[in-house]
Amino acid sequence: MKNNRCYRYRTWQEMYSWKLWRSLDVFSVEGGETILWTDLVDSHNVDYHLWPRAAAVAERLWSDIVANGSVTGDVYMRLDSHRWRMLIRGYNVQPIWPVWCSFNPSTCVHNIRY
């Protein structure tokens, strides 16, 4: 809430493209944290909202030099694979693209605007 106005969630793509840590020495970063600050999330839907964003931030912290903040088709495919692993383990995780794309990724990757 800012100036009595609610703001929408940042998408995982916005989290992935965030570049505030550019001024840091990447070899001095030992860890990171993702925060979900909202009144709309409770214990029943926290995984659904948190994990696509946390996974995007984790990948950026792990491979920032290589990734360079670009959300490419490869990023969609990696995060989608991670999402399916979490679903298999019983977590309710928000999709990063339509389920059809999970089974037809090459078609969807060509339609993503970078």
Side-chain angles (χ1 to χ4, degrees), residues 27-39:
F27 298 108
S28 68
V29 175
E30 294 183 15
E33 181 176 272
T34 304
I35 304 168
L36 181 64
W37 185 270
T38 180
D39 293 332

Side-chain angles (χ1 to χ4, degrees), residues 7-21 52-53 56-57 60 69 71 76 79:
Y7 287 91
R8 63 178 178 79
Y9 286 113
R10 287 196 169 105
T11 65
W12 71 264
Q13 293 93 334
E14 290 173 305
M15 300 294 284
Y16 197 93
S17 299
W18 192 54
K19 295 181 180 175
L20 184 60
W21 55 67
R53 292 154 188 86
V57 170
R60 287 296 308 281
V71 181
Y76 275 84
L79 293 182

Side-chain angles (χ1 to χ4, degrees), residues 9-90:
Y9 286 113
R10 287 196 169 105
T11 65
W12 71 264
Q13 293 93 334
E14 290 173 305
M15 300 294 284
Y16 197 93
S17 299
W18 192 54
K19 295 181 180 175
L20 184 60
W21 55 67
R22 284 285 177 216
S23 60
L24 299 175
D25 176 14
V26 294
F27 298 108
S28 68
V29 175
E30 294 183 15
E33 181 176 272
T34 304
I35 304 168
L36 181 64
W37 185 270
T38 180
D39 293 332
L40 304 174
V41 173
D42 61 16
S43 61
H44 299 287
N45 64 359
V46 67
D47 291 332
Y48 185 82
H49 290 286
L50 180 62
W51 276 106
R53 292 154 188 86
V57 170
E59 179 165 313
R60 287 296 308 281
L61 288 169
W62 186 261
S63 60
D64 191 47
I65 295 172
V66 177
N68 201 22
S70 302
V71 181
T72 63
D74 290 339
V75 173
Y76 275 84
M77 292 177 56
R78 280 193 304 272
L79 293 182
D80 187 55
S81 295
H82 181 63
R83 177 184 180 266
W84 283 101
R85 283 191 299 269
M86 293 188 73
L87 288 172
I88 289 168
R89 289 179 173 95

